[in-house]
Amino acid sequence: MGARQSFEMSPGSDEIILITLDGSPPPEEFEALGHLDLAIRSAETAAEAMTAAHESHPALILLDAPHSNSACVELVERLARITPKTSLIVLGAADIQPFEDTVRRAGARAFLPRPVDRSHLVETVEETLANRTRGPASAIAVALRQALDRGEFRLHYQPIVDVATERAVGAEALLRWNSPTLGDVPPLRFIPLAEQMDLIEAIDEWVTYAACYQVLKWREQELGPQWVAINISLSGLGGGRLLSSIKGTLASARAPSRSLMLEISEGALLDRSKEIADTLEDLKRVGVRLAVDEFGTAKSAIEYLKQVPFDSLKIDRLFLRGVPHDDEDCELVANIIRMAHGLGFRVIGEGVENRRQLEFLRTHGCDLAQGHYFSPPLPNDEFVAYAARN
Ligand code: C2E
Ligand code: MG
């Protein structure tokens, strides 16, 4: 592998977060990476790592993940989603094989068991950088390029429930890809790839149309859910294409603009460009609902939240996991609800898996909730049956 000039690093595309599972590695371990011109920074929390990934290019961010394997998988998923252009490398764990598959599925690019051979580490980091600039050439990238034309995508719908009445009032559309060659590929695996390959705008357009068409059907069937939420990627937010595609879709599907909610992750808001702020204002003018997704994971400033034209805020499921047994998480969730109401947002609690979490949200005045306690994401016919029952 060559020297640094051959990588042609571009801003915003070459961060690497190295997650270590067994304590902070000594800095000597990374001396061998000196020739790569990477800023090496340590982060104590996932939020800090994400902020560092947004701020420094290119950078190697060392994040200590002292928890269990499952917490690590969750962390990798989260980081892969919020900083989609970031490559994640995970270092060290006891049971290697099954865990390696899981972290890779969650979005890690590489997994290196401890003790790490130094030359192996250097090689992996170099390869990761080189692959990013050359673009992904894997089987998944080849299959992804054809997936839209071949009709391999489907949407599943997860009910969003009114906390007071426990009735479904809306739904989140979640993309599913069943590839004939690769089987089911999770969205956290292929969405970052689609972003890198410039396929995401076309996918977002397909999702918008399919979801708008579906919500109109539910309305005709007089089901409870009146709106559908779709996830918009950071790379889809800049530029005017999203706006014109949403206007065009609403018009051709003859869907009222309030029947569509756009979820934009808090991580995307860290990029406070004028272009994104203008797009958000324009979307608001069109009348669609706007929600901050995965709130709590990216430290956005309250001052900024006051200025952006959102109407809802989704508390990330990471925080609900600790409710009601972890005092810190409970306090955090209660504070987020209070703060969000103070700013005029409706609050959606995400990842509700049991009755106690729902009761906690109810006690603290949370408006809406979503999670496996009510229902996992379902294919449309099963969703319709659920909505008819609820
Ligand atoms: P998200 O927007 O945070 O979506 C919620 C994720 O949490 C979904 O994962 C959902 O299945 C999962 N979930 C819901 N309730 C629970 C629960 O009670 N417990 C647990 N453990 N998980 C729960 P999924 O479907 O794998 O989607 C992952 C992410 O992929 C989404 O995260 C979103 O960021 C992205 N994504 C999905 N569909 C699209 C899409 O159409 N476009 C874009 N740009 N991104 C999408
Ligand atoms: Mg979402």
Side-chain angles (χ1 to χ4, degrees):
M1 207 52 64
R4 86 177 112 157
Q5 338 22 333
S6 63
F7 295 123
E8 291 169 21
M9 294 168 185
S10 58
S13 63
D14 303 299
E15 310 82 23
I16 297 177
I17 297 185
L18 199 134
I19 301 170
T20 57
L21 284 174
D22 51 355
S24 301
E28 311 82 86
E29 234 178 83
F30 302 99
E31 267 168 19
L33 296 173
H35 66 290
L36 287 179
D37 194 21
L38 281 166
I40 299 188
R41 301 186 45 186
S42 297
E44 281 190 3
T45 61
E48 252 180 57
M50 287 179 237
T51 309
H54 281 281
E55 284 169 2
S56 341
H57 311 292
L60 177 74
I61 298 145
L62 306 177
L63 172 64
D64 227 355
H67 311 298
S68 61
N69 287 0
S70 69
C72 175
V73 168
E74 181 107 27
L75 181 68
V76 171
E77 279 186 356
R78 181 93 32 225
L79 289 167
R81 194 177 327 166
I82 291 179
T83 55
K85 290 187 174 168
T86 299
S87 298
L88 304 168
I89 300 175
V90 177
L91 275 195
D95 338 323
I96 293 147
Q97 194 49 51
F99 186 60
E100 168 162 15
D101 293 345
T102 318
V103 284
R104 278 184 184 271
R105 265 202 307 277
R109 182 169 284 260
F111 176 86
L112 303 177
R114 289 284 204 183
V116 181
D117 177 305
R118 237 177 253 185
S119 63
H120 195 178
L121 174 65
V122 172
E123 219 172 85
T124 306
V125 173
E126 284 183 337
E127 252 170 41
T128 304
L129 291 173
N131 283 342
R132 299 201 63 75
T133 43
R134 274 194 228 116
S138 56
I140 172 171
V142 173
L144 187 57
R145 219 173 267 294
Q146 300 162 336
L148 200 55
D149 289 342
R150 293 186 177 176
E152 292 166 11
F153 290 123
R154 295 278 175 277
L155 287 180
H156 280 191
Y157 299 94
Q158 186 173 35
I160 298 181
V161 168
D162 184 322
V163 169
T165 62
E166 292 185 40
R167 300 185 73 111
V169 291
E172 177 171 5
L174 292 153
L175 193 54
R176 298 292 177 256
W177 175 27
N178 180 268
S179 151
T181 48
L182 305 164
D184 285 327
V185 187
L188 288 173
R189 182 92 200 273
F190 69 81
I191 283 171
L193 255 186
E195 290 183 340
Q196 281 175 40
M197 294 166 66
D198 288 333
L199 296 172
I200 197 69
E201 288 189 337
I203 293 178
D204 278 351
E205 259 172 43
W206 180 85
V207 170
T208 312
Y209 190 82
C212 284
Y213 174 83
Q214 207 57 72
V215 71
L216 274 192
K217 287 260 177 241
W218 302 337
R219 286 173 159 233
E220 279 167 25
Q221 291 167 286
E222 298 185 353
L223 294 169
Q226 295 291 303
W227 45 268
V228 65
I230 60 173
N231 294 280
I232 296 294
S233 296
L234 169 61
S235 52
L237 262 185
R241 185 162 160 190
L242 175 70
L243 183 70
S244 57
S245 118
I246 282 179
K247 276 190 188 160
T249 303
L250 289 169
S252 67
R254 299 216 196 97
S257 47
R258 297 295 291 160
S259 61
L260 184 65
M261 178 187 273
L262 305 182
E263 295 190 2
I264 294 148
S265 75
E266 188 193 13
L269 300 180
L270 290 176
D271 177 353
R272 295 177 196 176
S273 69
K274 171 138 184 9
E275 205 183 10
I276 290 186
D278 288 349
T279 306
L280 293 173
E281 282 298 338
D282 287 341
L283 288 166
K284 187 75 197 169
R285 238 170 271 133
V286 170
V288 295
R289 301 169 194 246
L290 293 174
V292 186
D293 203 2
E294 295 161 5
F295 186 79
T297 55
K299 277 197 182 163
S300 56
I302 296 200
E303 279 312 304
Y304 183 67
L305 283 180
K306 271 192 206 158
Q307 294 160 24
V308 287
F310 285 85
D311 26 55
S312 306
L313 181 151
K314 297 184 84 168
I315 305 179
D316 195 82
R317 69 191 147 95
L318 201 61
F319 303 110
L320 259 290
R321 270 172 52 146
V323 169
H325 55 273
D326 181 312
D327 289 348
E328 239 175 70
D329 279 351
C330 287
E331 201 181 317
L332 201 72
V333 170
N335 283 340
I336 293 176
I337 297 173
R338 208 172 310 120
M339 183 268 313
H341 281 160
L343 292 172
F345 291 119
R346 273 215 304 182
V347 186
I348 307 174
E350 213 177 9
V352 175
E353 293 184 351
N354 57 57
R355 183 93 211 155
R356 294 195 317 153
Q357 291 169 329
L358 174 64
E359 292 304 345
F360 181 90
L361 292 178
R362 181 175 288 138
T363 307
H364 289 85
C366 184
D367 306 278
L368 304 175
Q370 174 184 357
H372 292 167
Y373 176 67
F374 304 106
S375 164
L378 299 169
N380 185 59
D381 51 347
E382 290 176 38
F383 175 79
V384 167
Y386 173 94
R389 282 197 309 273
N390 293 275

